Amino acid sequence: GLMNARQNRSVPPLNYPRVYELCRLFPDCDFWINGGIRTLEHARLVAYGSIRVGVPAEPCHGVPCRLCNLPNGSCIAPPLLAPDNLRGCMMGRAAMDDPCLFHDVDRYYYGENANPCQNRRDVLEKYCAYLEQRHPRRCVPSAEGEDYCSICAHVYSTKESSSRVENEAPALEWATPTSRAVCDERKGRETTTASPKNNEPNKNIASPVIGRCLKPVQGLFNGIPGSRVFRRICDTLGQDATIRNCGPGYILRTAMQSVPPHILDQEF
């Protein structure tokens, strides 16, 4: 085409009023707005309408829009009253860049009494449990009767040993090269490559699977000094073929050891 992907996201002006008009013209269709929404506050205004949310809106918005004062005349003004068939909005890029934007989404946006996670440790623990269920470990032949190999035994052998490793883990320097101790410690424990269960090659956990599983949380520490350490360790461990069959849950639990406890437990 005439524009690359970056230009396609910025050159054609965003036109929210056109979406509102389409909602009116096609009342039997459902619509979602995509593009230009970077905060929960803006998402709520767009999805519910400024009158319902209680924020006065400026009239006379359109494209090109002088009131929004955005490049190329884009207009991202919320409607006074959201159409019934405007079902919501999409925030895909914001979710990847800074997942913690959504820490209050259950309460603020959906009206729940409370949010399920209070800090980043809550998020990562729940996500690890999900990954371990969605992509079970394939590092030990089932005939051996064990559910873990020598590489991941320190995490999965018993709940007690897992807790002990977490409590006794050496203090790591956040945002310094010494955080590579996580990788070095793991390599010191390795004796063999984790083999797939039943020794079936097609049972391996593929590298793209690991990458897709780790990507949603790599921006979890966005804005915190040293956040690149967590990203780098996730990338390093995700590319390590010797631990791939221990599963993305194990890899993420190992990467968590690079983060100081006070940062993991800091409330949103």
Side-chain angles (χ1 to χ4, degrees), residues 9-263:
R9 293 195 302 268
S10 58
V11 174
L14 297 170
N15 194 338
Y16 286 14
R18 179 178 293 172
V19 178
Y20 309 145
E21 179 64 13
L22 287 172
C23 290
R24 187 188 66 80
L25 293 174
F26 301 96
D28 295 330
C29 297
D30 293 334
F31 292 85
W32 284 261
I33 283 184
N34 181 26
I37 299 176
R38 303 292 297 181
T39 67
L40 281 184
E41 291 78 7
H42 189 196
R44 189 165 178 245
L45 282 169
V46 169
Y48 292 96
S50 57
I51 291 179
R52 182 177 175 186
V53 175
V55 177
E58 298 174 340
C60 302
H61 282 267
V63 174
C65 184
R66 297 181 179 178
L67 295 174
C68 287
N69 193 28
L70 294 173
N72 305 307
S74 291
C75 181
I76 59 172
L80 292 174
L81 186 64
D84 291 337
N85 54 337
L86 180 59
R87 304 304 300 274
C89 56
M90 300 175 65
M91 298 177 64
R93 191 164 297 278
M96 295 303 299
D97 293 342
D98 188 5
C100 291
L101 282 174
F102 300 89
H103 77 273
D104 196 28
V105 67
D106 293 76
R107 184 199 64 82
Y108 179 79
Y109 188 90
Y110 291 108
E112 299 292 335
N113 292 328
N115 297 301
C117 297
Q118 307 306 313
N119 53 52
R120 291 171 177 82
R121 186 189 297 275
D122 289 346
V123 174
L124 290 171
E125 289 288 353
K126 290 178 183 293
Y127 189 52
C128 284
Y130 165 79
L131 291 178
E132 287 157 356
Q133 182 179 25
R134 183 67 179 83
H135 300 286
R137 297 181 295 282
R138 299 186 181 278
C139 53
V140 176
S142 57
E144 294 186 9
E146 296 287 355
D147 195 32
Y148 48 83
C149 68
S150 60
I151 295 175
C152 60
H154 69 289
V155 171
Y156 297 118
S157 58
T158 64
K159 292 182 180 179
E160 290 76 12
S161 65
S162 177
S163 176
R164 185 174 63 252
V165 168
E166 179 180 350
N167 293 333
E168 295 178 358
L172 301 175
E173 294 293 336
W174 184 242
T176 68
T178 56
S179 62
R180 285 194 292 269
V182 171
C183 302
D184 296 338
E185 180 194 5
R186 177 193 53 74
K187 290 179 179 179
R189 286 194 302 266
E190 293 174 6
T191 55
T192 58
T193 300
S195 302
K197 287 185 176 181
N198 301 322
N199 295 321
E200 299 178 21
N202 62 338
K203 293 296 184 179
N204 279 321
I205 299 179
S207 178
V209 171
I210 301 295
R212 288 195 299 268
C213 289
L214 297 181
K215 189 173 183 179
V217 295
Q218 289 197 16
L220 197 63
F221 300 93
N222 182 61
I224 297 178
S227 60
R228 292 183 179 179
V229 175
F230 181 75
R231 284 179 174 270
R232 184 172 65 246
I233 290 179
C234 282
D235 288 338
T236 299
L237 298 180
Q239 296 171 15
D240 190 342
T242 66
I243 62 173
R244 192 175 300 155
N245 284 319
C246 294
Y250 165 76
I251 292 175
L252 185 54
R253 289 188 187 277
T254 303
M256 286 174 63
Q257 296 180 33
S258 70
V259 185
H262 72 275
I263 292 180

